[in-house]
Amino acid sequence: MGADLYNNLIRYFMTHLKTLRDASDPLQDEALLRYYATEWDRYTTGANYINRLFTYLNRHWVKRERDEGRRGVYPVYTLALVQWKQNFFMHVQSKHQKLAGAILRLIERQRNGETIDQGLVKKVVDSFVSLGIDETDTNKGSLEVYKEHLETPFLDATEKYYKTESEAFLAENSVSDYLKKAEERLREEEDRVERYLNTDTRKRLVAKCEHVLIREHSEMMWESFQGLLDFDKDEDLQRMYALLSRIQEGLEPLRKKFEEHVKKAGLAAVEKLAGAGGAAAAGDGGDVDPKAYVDALLEVHRKNSETVQRSFRGEAGFVASLDKACREFVNRNAATGNSSTKSPELLAKHADALLRKNNKMAEEEDLEGALNRVMILFKYIEDKDVFQTFYTTKLSKRLIHGVSASDEAESSMIGKLKEACGFEYTNKLQRMFTDMSLSKDLTDQFKERMQQNHDDMDISFSIMVLGTNFWPLNAPTHGFNIPAEILPVYDRFSKYYQTKHSGRKLTWLWNYSKNELRTNYLNQKYILMTSSYQMAVLLQYNGHDTLSVEELVAATAIEKAILLQVLSLLVKAKVLINEETDQYDLNPNFKSKKIRVNLNLPIKAEVKAESSDVMKTVDEDRKYVIQATIVRIMKARKTMKNQPLIQEVISQISQRFTPKIPDIKKAIDTLLEKEYIERVEGTRDTFAYVA
């Protein structure tokens, strides 16, 4: 009974579908789709009713037949779909994919800008999905029919369409226009999936479009990238980045070009500043102004950093390219020549200018911001130890001469350096501040003691006692006769200090000390601010009106070369007159607009010595840093081959400076001599740690 009913139902469906088949044969394109969609609606609605009528058949006979393994028997609604597929759908499709072809032609019309009935397309496409039936489980759907009859031809048609369109478009339009077009087309296709295709198609459709619209024209995009950078075409750069980031390895050529672009911009900025010929030829950046140099580098960094954030969405690869390029041009440019120490020196000088009193920069803008910008460049400096040594030297001068803008600014900068390089890097700097405050207390205590002892000092006096290990200061190499006028104070303090700290030795740094002298021989009284050497010279004129160089050398014990420089400053300031060779007279007609006259200007020997001293200190420090690093590594590893040891040393030290391989080898030899390490017997290049 069930089988008869079932077979009659099949015949009923077949008869109905034959009528539809005959009616659809003459129809084409949109007319065919309309007819198909209308009949599909009617048919599925009817099939639903019939399915309910035959609930009993479904529940018993069909279930039993399927349980017994007859796969050709379906629940009534599914049977209706199977019949539609076999007797109508396949018939229409078999004629040159008439149905799918009609859909594809409609989609192409939409791509060409025409308006189409999207609801109609969706209905037909949904029917393709509904006709996919899983033979094993009729409750499950399958996309087999949809994929075979619609998705595959649709993807092929899409590829063909965009291939033709993109080539034609590029032949007549600019790359900028193409980027807009490609972006638009990708958006449209994603939208298409939402509107009337199955969501399963999205991935394959997008991949196909990306291949045709982006991958196949990527060479052209890469080539035009430089032009967009040169003319700051932000929107186009954003588009190009967004498009090329969709394909594998699409951004790598851009990153390389961007790195080269930034490097060129940085080198050009310094070249312009150094006046191409002058400093570049000199190779030492001698005539480059530190502020102008730092500003030029920062401007290149700022501009390209904004490009990375705005156009490349701060993508890590572009950030790395920017950093790599900056590291290159900050350390090697027209101002530095072959010297790796010039950039850290100029940066330290700029930081020094920022942190000094009467600094116009601090008044004009936010000092904290200026220091943060120094740190941007500091990050790229390779020889951070050179910066550290110059910075320490400059800081010591600021503290000794009391010309620091503010303690807050100083400690803020030290904090930044500590954050970037660790405690060890700034340890000396912090100790210098400690010494300064201890010295202030010491001066007060000394004055108090003198008052208690009724040793009335007619000279006001303040002292700085600075730790040898922390301050980059050198004691004078020549003698110095302490003038009788200050000798009592000198003796009193020396005795006082010895009683307070019995084991310590004081080395007096006359070359850094300064004094104030009052004039009594002129109608107008002046206060002359002098160095100790100038004071020693001028005090000789309390007993003489004229003195020869030899007499002054004998009286002061200052080296002749330095004494001549001291005298030339005093002659230039018109305090002394030098009318006869090697003869210096006190000028009785000295006049100045200021009551306080500053004579304490640096002498050439000091300025030159500073740079060479710094480099000597750096070289010495590096030797010990390399040795200490080797010992630390060997202590942890016990034995190690030569090559891996050298590589490990480089990787550990490169944060501070780039060590040279001959220096590392020299350090290994030194440690072998000192017996910190030894060669392993029977090998040429393996070392062992000696406990």
Side-chain angles (χ1 to χ4, degrees):
M1 181 73 178
D4 290 346
L5 252 179
Y6 190 80
N7 290 328
N8 280 327
L9 203 49
I10 291 174
R11 277 194 289 279
Y12 169 71
F13 284 139
M14 285 169 72
T15 312
H16 173 67
L17 292 166
K18 185 177 183 314
T19 322
L20 300 189
R21 237 178 15 230
D22 296 342
S24 72
D25 279 347
L27 300 174
Q28 292 288 343
D29 291 345
E30 203 168 336
L32 172 66
L33 293 178
R34 287 202 184 287
Y35 178 74
Y36 179 92
T38 309
E39 290 305 325
W40 168 257
D41 262 358
R42 278 184 61 208
Y43 184 79
T44 47
T45 307
N48 246 318
Y49 289 137
I50 294 174
N51 187 49
R52 284 187 206 157
L53 272 176
F54 286 89
T55 305
Y56 189 79
L57 183 73
N58 281 341
R59 206 176 286 160
H60 297 282
W61 185 80
V62 171
K63 186 177 183 301
R64 193 171 65 246
E65 292 289 308
R66 285 188 72 79
D67 288 349
E68 287 170 10
R70 295 195 181 84
R71 290 277 166 253
V73 175
Y74 305 99
V76 172
Y77 184 75
T78 310
L79 174 69
L81 296 181
V82 170
Q83 290 303 316
W84 175 279
K85 180 181 162 188
Q86 288 170 356
N87 295 300
F88 182 49
F89 175 81
M90 292 309 288
H91 168 79
V92 182
Q93 261 298 82
S94 61
K95 297 182 176 176
H96 312 297
Q97 292 197 324
K98 200 171 166 188
L99 200 56
I103 295 173
L104 296 181
R105 280 189 289 281
L106 262 191
I107 292 175
E108 186 169 335
R109 277 169 56 194
Q110 189 182 30
R111 281 177 178 152
N112 290 335
E114 292 180 39
T115 306
I116 62 162
D117 183 347
Q118 296 185 125
L120 172 65
V121 178
K122 182 162 176 53
K123 260 186 200 166
V124 179
V125 170
D126 285 349
S127 81
F128 279 66
V129 176
S130 302
L131 293 175
I133 292 152
D134 189 328
E135 291 291 332
T136 52
D137 182 356
T138 53
N139 292 322
K140 273 189 189 167
S142 152
L143 290 173
E144 209 179 306
V145 175
Y146 170 76
K147 283 188 174 171
E148 182 191 338
H149 291 282
L150 182 65
E151 190 186 90
T152 307
F154 167 68
L155 292 176
D156 292 343
T158 301
E159 182 174 19
K160 200 171 160 192
Y161 179 86
Y162 283 129
K163 207 178 174 70
T164 313
E165 185 192 63
S166 61
E167 281 165 11
F169 188 87
L170 272 168
E172 291 176 15
N173 296 279
S174 68
V175 175
S176 294
D177 293 337
Y178 179 72
L179 295 172
K180 279 182 206 151
K181 183 81 172 166
E183 197 176 52
E184 238 167 68
R185 284 307 203 184
L186 284 161
R187 235 190 340 262
E188 277 173 27
E189 292 307 317
E190 293 207 8
D191 199 34
R192 195 176 316 288
V193 178
E194 293 299 321
R195 288 179 189 280
Y196 49 71
L197 295 172
N198 186 275
T199 49
D200 191 67
T201 306
R202 177 193 296 277
K203 204 173 169 187
R204 281 179 289 276
L205 173 62
V206 169
K208 183 72 79 181
C209 291
E210 284 172 351
H211 181 79
V212 183
L213 294 170
I214 307 170
R215 169 72 64 199
E216 296 204 339
H217 300 291
S218 56
E219 290 278 345
M220 169 274 300
M221 290 192 207
W222 294 334
E223 280 163 26
S224 60
F225 177 66
Q226 189 61 51
L228 300 181
L229 273 180
D230 291 341
F231 295 106
D232 298 326
K233 301 267 187 172
D234 265 344
E235 283 184 19
D236 292 338
L237 287 171
Q238 284 169 22
R239 277 196 196 95
M240 188 179 282
Y241 168 80
L243 292 173
L244 287 169
S245 64
R246 299 173 81 129
I247 63 170
Q248 217 177 353
E249 299 300 313
L251 294 174
E252 197 45 43
L254 297 195
R255 293 189 193 113
K256 284 185 180 142
K257 281 180 189 258
F258 180 65
E259 183 186 324
E260 204 48 45
H261 170 79
V262 176
K263 190 171 143 190
K264 271 189 191 152
L267 293 174
V270 181
E271 187 94 25
K272 188 177 169 189
L273 187 70
D284 66 353
D287 52 358
V288 174
D289 169 48
K291 181 182 184 321
Y293 177 75
V294 169
D295 287 349
L297 297 182
L298 280 172
E299 180 51 32
V300 174
H301 177 273
R302 182 199 59 76
K303 186 177 176 214
N304 290 291
S305 182
E306 279 176 10
T307 302
V308 169
Q309 293 308 322
R310 210 171 40 228
S311 303
F312 312 134
R313 299 177 195 164
E315 193 262 346
F318 281 98
V319 172
S321 294
L322 174 69
D323 288 347
K324 208 168 160 193
C326 289
R327 196 165 292 115
E328 192 57 41
F329 74 70
V330 165
N331 291 289
R332 285 165 284 282
N333 55 49
T336 63
N338 301 322
S339 160
S340 65
T341 61
K342 197 69 210 171
S343 243
E345 180 184 345
L346 288 167
L347 188 62
K349 283 181 175 172
H350 175 66
D352 177 53
L354 285 175
L355 290 163
R356 279 175 176 271
K357 266 183 197 162
N358 310 328
N359 158 32
K360 285 184 187 135
M361 285 175 267
E363 291 158 21
E364 286 165 19
E365 56 174 340
D366 161 34
L367 180 57
E368 188 63 16
L371 296 177
N372 285 333
R373 287 192 286 281
V374 168
M375 292 310 295
I376 291 173
L377 292 186
F378 176 77
K379 180 175 84 169
Y380 298 121
I381 293 281
E382 282 172 3
D383 292 349
K384 290 187 168 58
D385 58 339
V386 176
F387 176 90
Q388 179 192 26
T389 315
F390 270 108
Y391 188 86
T392 309
T393 307
K394 297 286 185 193
L395 173 63
S396 69
K397 299 273 172 61
R398 289 199 297 279
L399 294 179
I400 289 172
H401 300 309
V403 292
S404 209
S406 75
D407 284 354
E408 289 77 26
E410 293 285 3
S411 60
S412 164
M413 186 64 185
I414 291 174
K416 293 181 204 304
L417 291 169
K418 187 175 178 180
E419 202 177 307
C421 297
F423 164 76
E424 207 179 308
Y425 192 85
T426 56
N427 187 19
K428 278 186 182 178
L429 307 177
Q430 281 166 325
R431 281 301 300 259
M432 286 159 77
F433 278 96
T434 311
D435 281 354
M436 289 306 288
S437 66
L438 289 174
S439 296
K440 197 169 174 297
D441 296 345
L442 185 66
T443 302
D444 294 343
Q445 288 160 11
F446 174 62
K447 282 180 182 166
E448 214 172 283
R449 170 63 63 86
M450 290 300 105
Q451 278 167 358
Q452 284 167 6
N453 295 356
H454 304 296
D455 282 344
D456 197 23
M457 295 195 300
D458 51 352
I459 294 174
S460 68
F461 162 86
S462 69
I463 186 84
M464 293 177 200
V465 178
L466 313 173
T468 315
N469 295 336
F470 307 111
W471 291 75
L473 307 173
N474 298 318
T477 48
H478 51 80
F480 179 65
N481 291 342
I482 300 164
E485 286 83 348
I486 64 166
L487 196 55
V489 181
Y490 168 82
D491 285 336
R492 279 178 201 155
F493 181 78
S494 299
K495 282 181 193 141
Y496 170 74
Y497 193 76
Q498 284 310 320
T499 53
K500 203 170 163 64
H501 305 285
S502 60
R504 295 188 189 171
K505 178 176 178 277
L506 286 177
T507 306
W508 290 77
L509 304 177
W510 298 108
N511 44 340
Y512 294 104
S513 304
K514 54 185 182 175
N515 316 78
E516 290 186 1
L517 303 176
R518 189 179 286 114
T519 62
N520 293 322
Y521 65 100
L522 301 162
N523 296 334
Q524 170 70 56
K525 291 201 169 179
Y526 294 104
I527 290 172
L528 305 179
M529 294 184 280
T530 63
S531 67
S532 290
Y533 295 161
Q534 290 171 332
M535 168 201 68
V537 169
L538 291 173
L539 288 177
Q540 302 308 314
Y541 288 91
N542 277 340
H544 309 272
D545 285 341
T546 176
L547 286 161
S548 70
V549 172
E550 297 310 324
E551 286 169 326
L552 285 167
V553 169
T556 61
I558 300 170
E559 213 173 80
K560 188 173 177 181
I562 291 178
L563 183 67
L564 286 171
Q565 290 192 31
V566 171
L567 287 166
S568 78
L569 276 174
L570 293 172
V571 169
K572 197 175 173 189
K574 298 189 178 149
V575 177
L576 296 182
I577 306 169
N578 172 218
E579 286 170 345
E580 295 168 47
T581 313
D582 290 351
Q583 199 68 26
Y584 292 85
D585 306 343
L586 190 63
N587 178 8
N589 303 315
F590 173 76
K591 277 198 177 76
S592 167
K593 287 177 184 171
K594 292 179 180 171
I595 299 295
R596 292 174 69 82
V597 184
N598 184 16
L599 303 174
N600 190 5
L601 302 168
I603 56 179
K604 278 179 196 160
E606 286 173 5
V607 177
K608 271 210 176 123
E610 184 182 281
S611 283
S612 60
D613 285 351
V614 165
M615 289 327 298
K616 260 187 228 153
T617 311
V618 167
D619 290 339
E620 276 305 305
D621 286 351
R622 283 184 176 183
K623 271 186 214 162
Y624 296 125
V625 168
I626 294 171
Q627 288 177 23
T629 306
I630 294 170
V631 170
R632 199 166 52 242
I633 293 166
M634 290 304 296
K635 194 173 182 180
R637 302 283 180 87
K638 302 300 182 239
T639 61
M640 211 169 178
K641 281 188 177 298
N642 185 41
Q643 207 47 43
L645 176 60
I646 289 175
Q647 289 310 317
E648 185 62 26
V649 171
I650 291 172
S651 84
Q652 285 198 19
I653 297 180
S654 54
Q655 286 298 313
R656 282 193 67 177
F657 62 91
T658 310
K660 296 185 178 76
I661 290 174
D663 291 346
I664 299 175
K665 287 181 174 169
K666 213 178 276 178
I668 291 172
D669 292 339
T670 308
L671 293 172
L672 285 167
E673 274 172 42
K674 291 181 180 173
E675 296 184 358
Y676 280 97
I677 56 174
E678 61 186 9
R679 288 186 198 277
V680 174
E681 272 185 50
T683 66
R684 280 185 59 240
D685 66 344
T686 307
F687 304 110
Y689 176 68
V690 180

